[in-house]
Amino acid sequence: MKKKDELYRGKTKTLYRTDNPQLLVLEFRDDISALDGKRVEQFNRKGMINNKLNYFIMSILQKFGIPTQIEELISPNATVVKKLKMFPLECVVRNRAAGSLVKRLGLDEGLPLNPPIFELFLKDDLQHDPMVNTSYCKALKIIDTDSLSQIRRLTHQINQCLSHLFFEKDLILVDFKLEFGLFQNKVVLGDELSPDSTRLWDRVTFRKMDKDIYRQNQLGLIEAYENVASRLGVRLD
Ligand code: TMP
């Protein structure tokens, strides 16, 4: 498999074509962004850490029967992935109140949410990724009903699997964001699972171990990501 030209450059990752039309190379850069991409900085090692964490977490999900796009870890910063036809949706699961939910409803940060909250956001940078629901999806033909119900089922399974995985490592899975696409007519998990797209708190101290460190202008982002990797047994070198 040969890496070819750039297909798409996102805020923190770049996708490259390969000589196999069904496969892409997903490269994690050292960039971090906030405020809809208005704030962008680089953190040495972040691309490598997130690539390895994403590969590790998605491999575990695969073992539990969740279809994911990952194929092969090919370098510290890159993974070969299936080329998906992405749905223009971000699926957020919340086990505790944090972030935009706290702002919107004035809840106490950390409030347990049982059952977890499931939210959908339309991927549309110009409209700042507005929240949508099943009715919007149907009326605006954003996604077919069958794929959306599969996404809900997979998201629920992923939350159960990852909540357990992190809890065993003394981490609370507060919330996270997933993106799905179609590969050979099957719904498959794409994009990434890393501390950029997941809120993780230390189970004892409630210390934040994720991108909120950057969003809230605190120090120690890379140390926190490395700590998550070390707890999960992911070798960074
Ligand atoms: P929120 O509280 O800002 O809505 O974020 C909920 C979760 O989704 C949190 O773990 C961060 C993640 N997320 C992303 O990965 N990308 C995004 O663009 C947004 C808005 C949230």
Side-chain angles (χ1 to χ4, degrees):
M1 197 275 315
K2 247 198 186 144
K3 180 175 159 186
K4 291 174 74 178
D5 58 318
E6 184 178 310
L7 172 68
Y8 173 78
R9 185 181 167 93
K11 295 187 191 96
T12 61
K13 304 187 290 295
T14 310
L15 279 168
Y16 296 88
R17 289 190 185 85
T18 71
D19 53 0
N20 181 337
Q22 301 205 313
L23 298 177
L24 300 173
V25 169
L26 174 65
E27 183 191 82
F28 288 74
R29 305 193 311 272
D30 283 344
D31 295 333
I32 192 161
S33 83
L35 304 173
D36 267 346
K38 286 198 250 328
R39 193 178 154 211
V40 180
E41 282 169 60
Q42 283 77 40
F43 282 84
N44 199 18
R45 288 167 62 79
K46 178 180 163 282
M48 176 272 292
I49 299 169
N50 275 2
N51 180 44
K52 291 186 177 174
L53 274 173
N54 177 61
Y55 186 82
F56 175 82
I57 295 168
M58 291 231 182
S59 303
I60 292 200
L61 292 176
Q62 289 256 135
K63 282 191 199 123
F64 280 88
I66 308 283
T68 82
Q69 76 172 154
I70 57 155
E71 289 283 313
E72 189 189 353
L73 191 73
I74 50 161
S75 75
N77 282 62
T79 296
V80 176
V81 296
K82 297 177 191 79
K83 185 174 197 281
L84 309 185
K85 189 173 178 336
M86 297 302 290
F87 296 112
L89 286 171
E90 298 193 341
C91 310
V92 169
V93 180
R94 301 179 187 275
N95 294 308
R96 286 179 183 257
S100 65
L101 183 70
V102 163
K103 273 198 203 138
R104 204 151 44 80
L105 299 188
L107 302 174
D108 287 338
E109 187 181 61
L111 178 79
L113 303 166
N114 195 7
I117 288 177
F118 178 79
E119 295 172 348
L120 288 169
F121 296 87
L122 183 64
K123 272 183 83 79
D124 184 340
D125 278 343
L126 285 178
Q127 302 300 328
H128 310 288
D129 297 346
M131 188 189 272
V132 293
N133 61 25
T134 309
S135 159
Y136 285 56
C137 287
K138 276 189 189 155
L140 303 176
K141 317 239 176 323
I142 296 168
I143 182 173
D144 62 283
T145 311
D146 184 49
S147 296
L148 184 56
S149 60
Q150 284 186 58
I151 284 179
R152 281 181 182 275
R153 183 178 50 80
L154 289 170
T155 300
H156 177 69
Q157 286 173 6
I158 292 167
N159 188 34
Q160 287 194 319
C161 178
L162 295 187
S163 293
H164 180 74
L165 170 81
F166 286 118
F167 194 78
E168 278 193 326
K169 308 297 174 189
D170 284 338
L171 289 165
I172 298 169
L173 179 59
V174 173
D175 60 28
F176 58 97
K177 186 259 309 174
L178 302 173
E179 296 183 29
F180 294 86
L182 283 179
F183 183 75
Q184 297 169 350
N185 289 322
K186 203 171 143 193
V187 175
V188 172
L189 177 64
D191 195 53
E192 74 175 287
L193 264 168
S194 75
D196 272 12
S197 60
T198 303
R199 284 197 175 91
L200 295 167
W201 295 350
D202 181 273
R203 189 163 71 85
V204 178
T205 63
F206 279 32
R207 185 163 65 95
K208 295 182 166 100
M209 313 280 289
D210 54 65
K211 191 174 152 185
D212 271 351
I213 295 171
Y214 175 73
R215 293 188 190 99
Q216 297 170 3
N217 296 305
Q218 294 165 12
L219 296 174
L221 181 90
I222 293 302
E223 291 76 7
Y225 283 30
E226 284 174 340
N227 187 313
V228 171
S230 148
R231 291 187 195 208
L232 292 173
V234 175
R235 277 192 53 195
L236 297 176
D237 305 325

